[in-house]
């Protein structure tokens, strides 16, 4: 679930130059997208035939917004070139977010290297997709899902203090790997954010309490190879003071539902050390079935899996 009021962004669509190029089906998709954006007050339609620089300069000054708060749906390479012309090659912080829409049967091909996202159609595009493209551009964490008492979102380097506080609690690292030293852990998390979140769109997330925003655990999905098989493994840890209150069950149920609705995997795996009685009980309650034990990283694990009906 996205909280629109926490991110200030605007989408700019040059409607006339776009509509003259697309099919009737795409026009319907565009109208639906415009309606969604308008309901969130996130769209500005530019109807003039003036040049792009005049259009956008007028919009920015009239609405008192900065370029980095805006997203441009570009349909021509010239639009992309203009939006990039003053950009620092080593920084994207002051740029428009650019979504290139490669119009079918249109002679001009969109430059892949200069857009933040390339669309081949509008049917599957919605406001959440646009928001998340904007967030990824500006290194803002995605808020993945909510439960009755918690929300799960991606980690940032600003969360390091909270993360170390969590892992220093008694019993937390009994069955999970401890963190690295601070500098090494920050380097690891920086690479994880870029490569795991950026490529797969999922990973291990922070679990925060809704009312207090306090970090109470970590949970999520990791991609891994199990022998020669590609799997996704669910992991979870809850702070000691929040254990035995149903938080792990609540969070894991929500993650399982998220996987079903968002990923193509039809199975979730969990690897549990034999002495971890709390996790063993939780997996049985969630409907996981035990299969053969496996050896991983020099340890023997009990292997559980859950198949979606």
């Amino acid at each position: 679930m996205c909280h629109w009021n926490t991110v200030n962004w605007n989408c700019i669509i040059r409607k006339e130059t776009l509509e003259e190029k697309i099919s009737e089906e795409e026009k319907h998709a565009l109208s639906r997208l415009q309606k969604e954006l308008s309901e969130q007050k996130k769209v500005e339609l530019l109807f003039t035939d003036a040049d792009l620089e005049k259009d956008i300069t007028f919009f920015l000054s009239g609405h008192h917004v900065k370029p980095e708060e805006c997203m441009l749906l570009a349909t021509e390479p010239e639009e992309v070139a203009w939006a990039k012309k003053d950009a620092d090659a080593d920084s994207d912080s002051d740029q428009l977010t650019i979504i290139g829409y490669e119009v079918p049967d249109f002679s001009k091909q969109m430059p892949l290297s200069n857009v933040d996202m390339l669309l081949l159609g509008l049917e599957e595009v919605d406001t959440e997709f646009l928001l998340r493209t904007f967030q990824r551009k500006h290194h803002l964490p995605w808020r993945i899902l909510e439960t009755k008492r918690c929300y799960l979102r991606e980690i940032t380097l600003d969360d390091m203090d909270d993360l170390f506080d969590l892992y220093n609690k008694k019993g937390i690292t009994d069955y999970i790997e401890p963190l690295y030293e601070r500098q090494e852990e920050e380097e690891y998390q920086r690479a994880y954010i870029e490569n795991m979140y950026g490529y797969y769109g999922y990973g291990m997330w922070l679990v925060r309490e809704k009312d207090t925003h306090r970090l109470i655990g970590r949970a999520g999905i990791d991609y891994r190879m199990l022998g020669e098989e590609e799997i996704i493994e669910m992991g979870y840890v809850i702070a000691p003071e929040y254990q035995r209150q149903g938080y792990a069950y609540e969070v894991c149920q929500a993650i399982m539902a998220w996987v079903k609705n968002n990923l193509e995997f039809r199975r979730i795996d969990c690897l549990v050390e034999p002495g971890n009685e709390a996790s063993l009980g939780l997996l049985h309650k969630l409907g996981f079935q035990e299969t053969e034990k496996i050896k991983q990283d020099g340890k023997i694990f009990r292997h559980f899996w859950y198949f979606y009906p």
Side-chain angles (χ1 to χ4, degrees), residues 39-57:
E39 289 172 352
Q40 300 290 343
K41 297 184 173 63
K42 295 296 178 187
V43 64
E44 177 74 12
L45 303 179
L46 303 176
F47 292 97
T48 73
D49 289 324
D51 63 80
L52 180 69
E53 183 168 3
K54 182 178 178 181
D55 277 352
I56 294 185
T57 300

Side-chain angles (χ1 to χ4, degrees), residues 1-2 18 46 69 87 140 166 171 183 204 226 238-239 294 302:
M1 179 179 294
C2 295
L18 176 58
L46 303 176
E69 296 172 340
L140 301 172
L166 173 66
Q183 183 176 349
M204 290 298 294
L226 195 60
I238 298 295
I294 64 170
R302 294 175 68 172

Side-chain angles (χ1 to χ4, degrees), residues 84 92 95-100 114-118 133 137:
K84 290 283 188 179
D92 59 12
Q95 298 175 29
L96 287 162
T97 301
I98 304 173
I99 295 189
N114 287 332
V115 297
D116 299 298
M117 179 64 66
L118 180 66
T133 301
K137 161 80 171 185

Side-chain angles (χ1 to χ4, degrees), residues 90-151:
D90 297 323
S91 172
D92 59 12
S93 62
D94 60 348
Q95 298 175 29
L96 287 162
T97 301
I98 304 173
I99 295 189
Y101 174 37
E102 195 160 273
V103 180
D105 302 321
F106 190 59
S107 59
K108 296 181 180 179
Q109 193 170 31
M110 193 63 63
L112 291 175
S113 61
N114 287 332
V115 297
D116 299 298
M117 179 64 66
L118 180 66
L119 304 179
L120 299 179
L122 295 173
E123 293 86 350
E124 303 300 322
V125 178
D126 58 14
T127 47
E128 182 164 332
F129 175 90
L130 296 179
L131 170 63
R132 290 192 164 182
T133 301
F134 179 90
Q135 289 175 308
R136 195 63 85 212
K137 161 80 171 185
H138 294 289
H139 312 294
L140 301 172
W142 289 2
R143 189 159 174 167
I144 304 298
L145 59 87
E146 291 188 2
T147 70
K148 182 179 179 180
R149 295 176 289 178
C150 310
Y151 63 87

